[in-house]
Each structure stands twice: as C-alpha cells, then as structure tokens.
C-alpha cells in the first residue's frame, strides 16, 4: 500500500473532484441514510463498489492518524482481480471550517477533501456509515458537510458504575461513528475515584472501592497506561476526551482516602448510596489546593485536551459554615458568604489551569457567587445557566435535564424529545449565540450497572443528539429522521449495541370535566396497538381475577382503580404493561390556585394535575408529581359548586436521596364563599425523614361538612434537609400528586 505520492498528482486530483461534482445530474438532498443529516447531499448516477478500493493516498504527513484509520477500514477489501482503486484524501483550503469535509463517491474514485484533520475524521465517519448501510455498493454521491457546533459531547459516568476499557473504547468508536467529538469522562465521585494518581496512592487503594450494603466490595480504576491507550484510541477517531475531576463537592471518595482534605478531617467511607454528600473539600486549607493542583498536574499530563472539567455542582455548604478555616478564608478574602467562597475556590483552580494553558469547564453552579474569568459553563439545571454565562461574555455548553439526561426514563425523555432539543435559546444576540459552543448528553450511571443497560439508555437517543448538534437548525424533520433511525438499527447491531426503545409504547392525556375524567391513550406510532383493562379498587382488595384486555378505541372513563395498558407492535408485546392509578372524587375538575408557584421541573402537567384523578407512581419523574422546593405551598381549590364532603386525602412522596420528604404537617381550611374561612383539620406525619427508599404516604383530614365550595391546603415543607443527611442544610422538596376530596 502506498502512503504518499507526488504533490503534483494531488493538486490535479483536487480539481478533478470539484469539476466532476458540478457536471453530473444532482438530485439534491436525497436521504441516503446518514446520521447526522449532512448539510448537503447529491446523489449522482452510478454506484461505487467498495471491494474495488484498497488504497488510500494522502500528501499530508500530519494527517496520518486519520489516513491510517481510513486505510484500516479498507484493508484487505480489494478483490484479487480488480485493480485497487484509490481513496484520495486532499487538502482543500476553500472549505470554511475546521470540521468541514467534502466526500465524492464516484465509480472510478473516492475523494475526501478537508481543510483540517477534524474534517477528515468527519468524512471517514460518513464513509463508515455508507459502508455499513450499503455493504456491497453505494450510490455515487457528493456530500458537502460541516458541523453546526464545535463541541458535540457525551458524558460517561464511570464512577457510580465502572466500565471496562473495552466498553469505553466501544463508546468512543460509536461517538465517532455519529460525528460526536467529545467524550466527557466523569472520573471522580463520592462513590469512587477512578483515575490513577501516583502522588496520592490511597486515592486508588482505598478511594476506588466502596463497600456495598450487602458487604460486597465494588470498584476499580483506570491505570495511567490504560488512560494513555484510551486517549490515543480516541484521537485516532477524532474524539477528544475531556476528564472531569469533581471539586469542591462530590469528593467523598477522595476524602475517604485522605480525611484531612475535608473541614472536619474525620474518617468517612466511600459512599455506597446515591445522592449529594456534605463532606466536601475544605476551602480554608491551602494544603487542599496543593493536593488538587498536584492531582491536576497528573491529569493534564495524561489528557492533552484544552478543556478540563472540574464539576462544581451540588456542593452543600454545611461544613464550610461550621469550619473555622473556611470562615477565616471568607474574612481574609473579603467574601460575603459561602457562595462567594465556592466562587473563590473555582477561580483559584481556574487560574491554575490557565497558567498551564488549559481552560476550565464547570456545571452551572459555578455561576453562583461570581464566575471565574475564562470559565465555560455547562448548563444542566435548564438552559438558564448557559444564558447567564453567554450574557456575561462566557462560553456555554448546553445539556439541560429536560432533553439531555439519558439516565432519565423514556417517559420523560424519549427519542422525539431529544430530537426537539434546540441548544440555542431564543432572545440572544448574534454575539451571545456564538458563545454557545455546543451541547452534550449526560449518561449518569447510578442505575446503569452494566453495558446492556448502558446501551439501552444511550441508543437510539444518541442519534437524535448527534443530529441536533451537527445539522443545521432548520433541517429538523422528525418523520424523516425516524426513518433513518430504522435504517441505522442493523448498523448498531453490527457494533454490538443492545439499543433500547425509541419511546414508551403509549402516552395518555386526561380529558377533564367537572367531576368527570377520561383517559385518552395515544400509541407511539401507527404500528403500535393498545389493549386495556380496569381493575377496580374493590376488586383489587378481594383479588378477583383480572378482566381480560380489550382493544383500545376511545377515551376510557375513569374509575376507582388501576387502568392497565399493554402495547403490541407487529404482533409482539411492546414494552411491559403500564399501570395508571386513578381515583374518582369530588375535586376532579376543580380550579386550582397557588400562593407560591410549583417547580417548573415537576409540574404534574400544570394546576389540573392535582385534580385530574390520576395518582403518581413511585417514579417521581412519571409526570404526575408536583414539586415545591424549599417553600410551604398553600393551594386553593374552587370546587365550582357546593358539595358535601367528609375527607381530604393528600398523597405525598418520599425519596430522601433526592431531598424529597413527606411534609410534617398539612392544614385544611374550608369556605362557602372564598372569603370567610373555617378550620377543617390537620394531619401530622411522623415519618422519619431519614427513612430511605421511595414511597408514598397519604395524609388525611376528616370532617363531615355540608355546602363547601372552597378548600385551602397549607403544606408545611420540612424546610431543610436534616442534619443527619449527607446533604444537610439544602432546601427540601415536597411532592404531591393529587388532592382527593371525598
Ligand atoms: C449534574 O447532573 N449534577 C451535573
Ligand atoms: Zn473548611
């Protein structure tokens, strides 16, 4: 195989590529199946037989990483008899962006033109897909393409669960196949330290292993040798690995190895549960900064990336508030509070990274107390953090929980939802828009113990993310995209990807009238059929045999009980049976108003969600729960006619790890006219706020009353996460799913 040729030959070829593309009859923008959709595709007459090609020629010695890769894709493919045709890789200074490329497939030559090696990698990804989609011969075509954003990433959390070098390689390969160019590698956490650091061996000997509640030991870390291998492997595929070393929070594994890094310097275990932990790095102790700088020096030695991610999210300030050293730092630096202390912490690390030629990325909490000079904000709690960053002239990466959290269930983020992601919010100036450098999907792995689950969570959703970060904003076409996704499934199978479903099989809406409601089911697509049955509450209690499933045709009138739905697709079950708990009661269809608004993240679909007869499940993201963060909500119902009632029942939720607690008290008042109120009663709850697990508790207030039109529910939030909790002092959540009036 020939590696280089005479420069003259290459210049001649460049003109040939340009000329032939313009004279052939082009069918513009035909969908040939690539994901992400290229900026421009023209299908030409004729076809290309892959087996004719075995040689790669390139004049540029600085492109060998990419051309070697291309060569390996075509190695040994040429038929014995056929002359080895040539894949030309040419430099084209006229291409306008680093990542842009032009691919010309003709029966007599394949030509890949780029301005920079990134463009070449992107063109190789298109070639890989074309070879997979058209295994024998592909249509002749021209692709002219460039990315919309320079930063197209996926976060992989290898701390909550550890993934082997082979799995990480598989993901690098897949990212590259879909032109994602960043692996954001989350390497340090409360539950495990996963990167070898020679200067602090206990980080690995102790910090990399946690004792599970069943007594078993879970853990592991990547050796420097393995990390170098992965960085090289990624570079050969046009992917950059950006390491994330979390500070000042999510640091319990490091503190377990070196307790003196925390404010109290007391021994703690590597965490074996999920959540946010209050043992964080002490901000008043200079030896903590020395430790972090030494760690970062070793990190920078391993990772050549310009960007280093330092986390910065979810750092409870409880320990800092009670630490003499931290308080001294606040005083000596003239800071106003612990938020500014966090800002001081990040600025100090940012300066250190900058002195070493690197740039800092942090989660949007790094905005609190003032943003460090050159810092880039990764917006996760919505888009607001990113907006604030670009308004102050900083760059931003968008990965909001609403669209980009692949650990979330398909019920909240399905393929279509990801495909609807728009990284640039409305209302920004041209200059501000340009500061949004891209986006990421985040794969947190608390509930992803193995490769199988990982595949099913990431795919096919990654295909949608890749397209939203690459293709022009106005090229979004859901129906057309979905058909390309179908064609990509066999390709994913070839890559041993056990992809999951595109969506839950069905969604539903409640049609609401005064004291009546119907559930309208909607199947995922026209190939999906739905079957339903109702198990009435009375029947559940005496456990009679369930009714048979019947085909769904029209909205189902709500009863007291469980509506179960089974979807089928092409004759087979599609997903498992879904259950919707419903209650008939007097407040259904009432008007709901609030003294303080519910959270925009947990809305239950709006005010009607509390009076729509549908109860929440033990998945607090099922769309049925309304959340209130750190406030005592007062909710008023107008029942729209006088009623006779005897009870108000309020199903609340507890999941201590996510700071959601059963409220200690609720009070109910009633009124005939909305002006004069009387006390109906109250319910107190003695549930231990530290009781773990996910559960629902229904608080009840009973009193026989006539002619009541208005009800007011006053909920006492726990207020702060309790002292014994790992995130003590943070604002507590209250979650309510329905106001049941009987
Ligand atoms: C995050 O999800 N805590 C960044
Ligand atoms: Zn301290």
């Amino acid at each position: 195989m020939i590696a280089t040729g005479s420069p003259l030959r290459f210049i001649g070829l460049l003109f040939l590529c340009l000329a032939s593309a313009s004279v052939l009859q082009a069918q513009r923008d035909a969908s040939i199946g690539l994901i992400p959709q290229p900026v421009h595709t023209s299908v030409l007459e004729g076809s290309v037989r892959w087996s004719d090609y075995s040689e790669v020629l390139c004049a540029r010695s600085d492109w060998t990483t990419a051309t070697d890769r291309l060569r390996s894709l075509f190695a040994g493919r040429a038929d014995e008899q056929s002359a080895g045709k040539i894949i030309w890789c040419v430099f084209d200074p006229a291409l306008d962006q680093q990542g842009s490329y032009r691919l010309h497939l003709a029966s007599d030559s394949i030509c890949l033109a780029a301005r920079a090696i990134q463009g070449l990698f992107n063109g190789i990804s298109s070639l890989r897909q074309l070879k997979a989609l058209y295994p024998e011969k592909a249509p002749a075509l021209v692709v002219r393409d460039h990315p919309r954003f320079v930063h197209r990433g996926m976060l992989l959390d290898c701390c909550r669960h550890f993934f082997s070098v082979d799995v990480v390689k598989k993901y690098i390969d897949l990212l590259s196949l879909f032109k994602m160019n960043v692996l954001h590698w989350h390497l340090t956490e409360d539950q495990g330290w996963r990167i070898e650091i020679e200067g602090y061996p206990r980080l690995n000997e102790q910090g990399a292993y946690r004792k599970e509640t069943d007594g078993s030991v879970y853990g592991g870390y990547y050796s420097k040798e393995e990390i170098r291998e992965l960085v090289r492997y990624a570079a050969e595929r046009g992917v950059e690995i950006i390491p994330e070393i979390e500070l000042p929070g999510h640091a319990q594994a490091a503190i377990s190895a070196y307790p003196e890094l925390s404010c109290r310097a007391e021994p703690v275990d590597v965490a074996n549960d999920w959540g946010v932990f209050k043992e964080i790095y002490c901000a008043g102790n200079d030896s903590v900064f020395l430790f972090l700088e030494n760690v970062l020096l070793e990190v920078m030695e391993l990772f050549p990336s310009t960007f280093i991610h330092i986390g910065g999210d979810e750092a409870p300030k409880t320990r800092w508030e009670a630490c003499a050293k931290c308080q001294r730092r606040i005083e000596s630096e003239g800071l106003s509070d612990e938020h500014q202390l966090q800002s001081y912490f990040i600025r100090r690390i940012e300066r250190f990274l900058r002195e070493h030629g690197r740039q800092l990325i942090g989660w949007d909490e790094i905005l609190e107390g003032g943003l460090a000079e050159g810092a880039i904000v990764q917006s996760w709690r919505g888009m607001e953090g990113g907006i604030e960053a670009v308004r102050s002239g900083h760059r931003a990466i968008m990965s909001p929980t609403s669209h980009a959290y692949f650990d979330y269930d398909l019920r909240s983020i399905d393929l279509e939802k990801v495909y609807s992601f728009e990284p640039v919010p409305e209302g920004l100036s041209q200059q501000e828009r340009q500061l949004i450098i891209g986006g990421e999907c985040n794969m947190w792995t608390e509930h992803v113990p193995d490769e199988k689950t990982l595949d099913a969570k990431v795919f096919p959703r990654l295909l949608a993310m890749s397209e939203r970060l690459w293709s022009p904003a106005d090229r979004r076409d859901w129906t057309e995209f979905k058909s390309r996704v179908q064609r990509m499934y066999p390709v994913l199978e070839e890559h041993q990807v056990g992809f999951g479903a595109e969506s839950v099989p069905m969604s539903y809406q409640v049609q609401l009238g005064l004291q009546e409601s119907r559930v309208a089911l909607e199947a995922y697509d026209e190939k999906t059929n739905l079957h339903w049955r109702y198990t009435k509450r009375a029947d559940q209690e005496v456990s009679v045999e369930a009714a048979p499933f019947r085909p769904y045709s029209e909205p189902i009138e709500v009863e007291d009980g469980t509506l179960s739905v089974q979807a089928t697709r092409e004759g087979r079950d599609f997903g498992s049976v879904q259950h919707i708990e419903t209650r008939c009661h007097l407040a259904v269809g009432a008007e709901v108003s609030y003294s303080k608004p519910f959270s925009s993240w947990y809305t239950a679909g709006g005010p009607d969600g509390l009076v729509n007869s549908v109860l929440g499940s033990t998945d607090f993201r099922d769309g049925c729960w309304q959340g209130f963060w750190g406030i005592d909500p007062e909710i008023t119902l107008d029942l729209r006619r006088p009623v006779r009632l005897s009870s108000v029942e309020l199903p609340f939720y507890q999941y201590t790890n996510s700071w959601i607690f059963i409220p200690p008290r609720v009070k109910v008042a009633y009124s005939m006219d909305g002006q004069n109120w009387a006390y109906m009663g109250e319910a107190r709850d003695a549930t231990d706020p530290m009781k773990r697990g996910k559960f629902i508790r229904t608080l009840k207030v009973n009193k026989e009353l006539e002619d009541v039109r208005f009800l007011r529910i006053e909920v006492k939030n726990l207020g702060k996460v309790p002292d014994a909790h790992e995130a003590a002092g943070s604002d507590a959540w209250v979650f309510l799913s329905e106001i049941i009036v009987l």
Side-chain angles (χ1 to χ4, degrees), residues 155 160 184 186 189 244 246 250 276 309 311-314 363-365 378-381 399 401 405 407-408 442 444 446:
L155 172 144
R160 272 53 177 267
H184 168 174
H186 189 74
E189 253 307 334
E244 181 179 350
E246 273 263 15
H250 287 292
V276 168
H309 205 302
D313 60 320
E314 299 179 322
W363 299 108
D364 55 57
E365 284 93 331
Q378 181 163 6
S379 196
W380 72 282
R381 297 174 303 175
S399 60
T401 49
Y405 269 52
D407 52 330
Y408 286 20
N442 293 343
W444 300 106
E446 285 93 334

Side-chain angles (χ1 to χ4, degrees), residues 12-76:
L13 185 87
L14 174 61
F15 286 113
L16 176 78
C17 284
L18 294 171
S20 56
S22 60
V23 294
L24 286 165
Q25 290 288 313
Q27 178 194 338
R28 249 191 125 245
D29 288 344
S31 176
I32 51 157
L34 292 172
I35 294 178
Q37 179 75 281
V39 175
H40 174 94
T41 312
S42 300
V43 175
L44 311 174
E45 279 167 23
S47 58
V48 175
R49 211 160 64 109
W50 301 115
S51 59
D52 290 347
Y53 289 85
S54 63
E55 291 188 11
V56 175
L57 289 185
C58 181
R60 292 190 63 121
S61 57
D62 55 339
W63 282 3
T64 48
T65 341
T67 50
D68 284 352
R69 169 96 180 116
L70 188 54
R71 210 162 271 130
S72 72
L73 292 172
F74 282 85

Side-chain angles (χ1 to χ4, degrees), residues 363-520:
W363 299 108
D364 55 57
E365 284 93 331
I366 67 169
L367 285 155
E368 294 162 9
L371 188 54
E373 192 180 319
I376 298 156
V377 171
Q378 181 163 6
S379 196
W380 72 282
R381 297 174 303 175
M383 307 285 274
E384 290 74 17
I387 295 171
E388 192 182 332
V390 300
R391 292 235 152 104
S392 63
H394 290 80
R395 284 164 292 172
I397 296 161
M398 296 300 199
S399 60
T401 49
S402 56
H403 294 77
Y405 269 52
F406 287 5
D407 52 330
Y408 286 20
D409 195 273
L410 285 177
R411 267 187 290 195
S412 43
I413 302 182
D414 64 8
L415 185 68
E416 188 170 7
K417 178 90 185 199
V418 180
Y419 195 68
S420 73
F421 178 44
E422 173 44 57
V424 179
E426 309 236 309
L428 297 181
S429 71
Q430 178 63 15
Q431 203 171 7
E432 288 161 353
R433 295 161 75 90
Q434 276 168 358
L435 290 170
I436 295 172
I437 60 172
E440 290 187 10
C441 46
N442 293 343
M443 188 62 253
W444 300 106
T445 59
E446 285 93 334
H447 306 289
V448 183
D450 50 36
E451 181 183 348
K452 183 166 172 269
T453 319
L454 182 67
D455 284 0
K457 290 250 180 210
V458 175
F459 290 95
R461 291 187 283 192
L462 184 101
L463 307 188
M465 184 55 78
S466 109
E467 184 140 320
R468 296 309 300 146
L469 296 177
W470 177 283
S471 307
D474 60 3
R475 287 291 299 276
R476 182 160 45 190
D477 180 338
W478 165 241
T479 311
E480 193 274 338
F481 171 72
K482 226 167 75 167
S483 74
R484 273 182 290 126
V485 171
Q486 311 314 307
R487 292 173 67 188
M488 205 52 84
Y489 285 138
V491 180
L492 292 178
E493 269 163 6
E494 270 173 43
H495 284 80
Q496 277 77 50
V497 177
F499 51 86
E502 291 165 17
S503 161
V504 288
M506 68 100 190
S507 55
Y508 66 88
Q509 281 192 328
V510 182
Q511 299 173 344
L512 206 53
L514 185 57
Q515 221 188 317
E516 61 170 343
S517 58
R518 290 189 169 78
V519 178

